[in-house]
Amino acid sequence: MVVKGITNRFSIARNGYGESFIHPCRKIIIQYCNWGGSSQGIRDFLVSERLNGIASRHKQIEFEVIKKSGHPVITGFYNNGRNKPICVRNMDPIEINKKLEILMNSSGDILRRWTKNDNVRSLNKSVRGIWSPFHGNTTPSL
Amino acid sequence: MLKLYGAAAPMRSQLLKLAISRSNVWRYQRSIKTSYSFYSTETVPTTPTSHTVSPIPLSIGEIQTPQLLEYKNYYQNLQQTLRDLPNEVCDQSTALVTLHKRLGLPKEFTTALLSRCLTCRSSNLPTTLPSTQNIKLHKKNYSNQQRDNYGLNIFGKNLLTFQTVKYLLDKYPRLPTPVLNVAVNAYISDEVLASIVKSWGVESETQSVMERFLRNEPADVTLGKLRYFNNLKRISDGVECISKLNFSETAAYSLVIRSVIATLWTIDEKLATRFIDDHILVGRKLDIARLFEFEQPTRELARLCERENLKRPVSRLMAESGRLSKSPVFIVGVFSGEEKLGEGFGASLKEAKAKAASDALMKWYCYQPTKDPNQKTVIDPGTVIV
Amino acid sequence: MLSNQLGRSLIGINKSCLSQRNSLRFITYLHSGDRVRGIKRDPTSYMINPYGLTYETVQKEKGLATSEFFSKIRNQLPLKKYNIAVDDNLLLQCFTHKSFAHGKVPYNEKLFIMGSHFLKVQASLYSIQNDNVKDKDFLINGLNFNTLGSNKSKQILSECNLAQLMESLALNKLIFWKKRNVNESNDFNGEPKIASSVLNSVVGAILLTNGVEKTTLFVTNFLLKNKKANI
């Protein structure tokens, strides 16, 4: 037997390629202070029934409400092991809602500046192959 | 995360009344008792020299303090919950409910079953604690009559391996056995399965029972976590139980996905096969061609042509450039009679010839039959033996 | 100019020499009897199984109704009963081990892999479905998963049981394989393993050609309910 297999090569995840898609954001912790003025907005947010609606629309995300002194912070936890904290001090409920949307829709990856010519990112090889000077018509026509 | 959790403990259940009733929102206030709230993770003594075992639930008859009794109650309550996995308590667990939703599991797959998939046999809390002199987890502590994922894992593993082998051999019927083994490993090795489960957002329970008690954590929190270690003691205490029944985190994580597959199978066979396809096989990418390694490609090709009654393979130079320069390029094709089997390039004739032969072999071994149902099943005669 | 022409013609001569040499290599001496290093062996001297059955005779009988080899296999394995169609080529491949004839003829390795994984699933399924437990508390949809991993469930369709079944069907003498050490016994050379692998690859071959339903029927009725295979 001369053909061998190369070990330590693993399959690569393609989330959503099959019929399953795992939402990247798994958990959001909402931390507020019951006393501080900067938490006024988030207290209003929590007292209103907004979170109830959000939670029922995003059943795949776990929400946790924590009381802790200091500025209010909302933190998203993602499947790639990263988390994203956003400080929501002095924000009104509408702004907080927007920040929550950002956390829920994020992939959890770090923010990158993609270059201009980076329109296609793929695990697959180019279907057209790589041009070779040795193949095809060798005498160029003018 | 841990800090947030621990620091939140000093909170009293009062003040802000929240109008939240969703099952995926966990109100921290729910069952915080004020009597122990002054404990936080930071205040638990963590000196590595303190090898004292946590208070033993059944031997505390001599020292009776309200705290110890409280701990005993907590321990027994936790043990009871983990043994019975009642549906009402499991439905309370936000982690379980959201995980269920994230995976899109059917209704018949109850949260209690999901929690069972997260329970490893090694996490079973014993009724009697081992003494300090003889730290050994006895096998008798692990009866097979309990709700854990031991059997589910075995059945799931059998299903998963069969499905993977079938998928690969249907797609590439001529895959050589060593490459097939490597490919199966690339799809369903413990590492890969563990990374899939981690990408579902499953956390593992790393807190000891004592820590959980001190933070007054309700039992449903631990139900939503992967329990594989016998969390009687903190790992950081410097005391480590070495037992055959405890295993690595990676192995424990891989048990979860296999058990989920087995449980899905009990509900509907098709659900299980679709789940395997979506999460493990079709849903992930593996480049089979990168798993091959040829030792003597020209020799192997010659043997293959002999076996398949093809003409002897002959390598021919097809194009070249800069033979006498520092970086020459040769293109060599390997032919059997008139037919071209493969082509390779290289900086030397030898290299190009070897690459051409490996290319030809690759085309043979990685042959994919058409999806036309009229095509007869391709049965591989076997890998060439040199 | 002259030298250029000369060079070309020289190359031409070389090429013609090469092709002549190629054609000369087709005369080969085939040696039979004791092994001599570097000399090709006569196929008739090694295409023979440990019980004296030659591969050539079986190959000639392919497709014939009078064939002793194939009719014996078809009588012992109830293929007709479960409406399973397997052609002679495939059947012969199932009964050929990788060790035989240095892999020159089709062998059963891949069929064995397929069949053995299928049998593992079927065996574990059998043990979770057919376990009498008093405590119904731990069942999942009526299946007892706690029985898996026990010695009893490991015994179902184990290698040694399948080998015994093959022996009782008298099919082990029809397998084409080669002994690792000619002077040692069959058991030393791993005959039980080879015999069980043949049964596994028959299951694999049925699975590939006849589909899952027929294979499941064959496995449950012929193997799992058979007392010899499933002790």
Side-chain angles (χ1 to χ4, degrees), chain C residues 37-117:
Chain C
R37 200 180 155 84
I39 295 183
K40 270 196 173 182
R41 291 175 77 201
D42 189 9
T44 47
S45 67
Y46 62 84
M47 301 281 267
I48 184 166
N49 84 349
Y51 294 96
L53 188 67
T54 54
Y55 195 80
E56 214 183 345
T57 51
V58 173
Q59 216 167 14
K60 275 179 194 160
E61 286 172 353
K62 258 191 260 175
L64 297 175
T66 52
S67 159
E68 198 185 325
F69 179 84
F70 293 110
S71 58
K72 203 168 182 185
I73 294 173
R74 282 175 201 283
N75 283 339
Q76 296 289 15
L77 303 176
L79 299 177
K80 226 177 204 174
K81 192 177 165 193
Y82 301 107
N83 204 9
I84 292 164
V86 181
D87 64 357
D88 286 354
N89 277 322
L90 193 52
L91 220 46
L92 180 57
Q93 184 175 349
C94 289
F95 275 74
T96 312
H97 187 251
K98 188 182 164 186
S99 58
F100 186 73
H102 208 56
K104 269 184 187 167
V105 288
Y107 56 85
N108 64 12
E109 192 185 25
K110 218 72 76 58
L111 297 169
F112 160 68
I113 294 174
M114 197 73 178
S116 71
H117 288 303

Side-chain angles (χ1 to χ4, degrees), chain B residues 325-374:
Chain B
S325 72
K326 190 177 109 232
S327 50
V329 176
F330 299 99
I331 310 266
V332 166
V334 59
F335 293 81
S336 161
E338 288 294 298
E339 217 147 329
K340 187 167 141 194
L341 303 177
E343 190 188 288
F345 67 90
S348 70
L349 284 167
K350 225 178 172 182
E351 188 193 348
K353 189 183 166 190
K355 274 194 183 166
S358 342
D359 183 43
L361 283 173
M362 201 75 100
K363 280 172 182 161
W364 169 265
Y365 285 137
C366 289
Y367 164 75
Q368 290 187 41
T370 54
K371 285 183 180 163
D372 182 9
N374 294 326

Side-chain angles (χ1 to χ4, degrees), chain C residues 96-196:
Chain C
T96 312
H97 187 251
K98 188 182 164 186
S99 58
F100 186 73
H102 208 56
K104 269 184 187 167
V105 288
Y107 56 85
N108 64 12
E109 192 185 25
K110 218 72 76 58
L111 297 169
F112 160 68
I113 294 174
M114 197 73 178
S116 71
H117 288 303
F118 184 74
L119 280 189
K120 264 184 203 167
V121 174
Q122 291 299 322
S124 53
L125 197 58
Y126 180 82
S127 72
I128 56 175
Q129 281 169 341
N130 300 301
D131 195 70
N132 306 317
V133 274
K134 288 158 201 156
D135 199 356
K136 305 270 179 206
D137 212 25
F138 300 96
L139 305 184
I140 299 177
N141 293 335
L143 301 168
N144 181 21
F145 282 96
N146 284 341
T147 179
L148 290 176
S150 65
N151 278 338
K152 193 185 152 203
S153 79
K154 276 178 193 165
Q155 280 299 310
I156 300 172
L157 301 185
S158 68
E159 185 187 300
C160 134
N161 287 347
L162 289 183
Q164 275 172 13
L165 178 68
M166 282 293 277
E167 206 173 338
S168 68
L169 296 173
L171 289 177
N172 58 336
K173 287 181 181 170
L174 303 182
I175 305 168
F176 289 101
W177 60 290
K178 192 185 123 189
K179 281 180 169 184
R180 183 161 60 98
N181 188 343
V182 192
N183 301 324
E184 293 285 351
S185 68
N186 285 352
D187 278 5
F188 177 86
N189 283 298
E191 200 195 12
K193 191 170 186 181
I194 285 165
S196 82

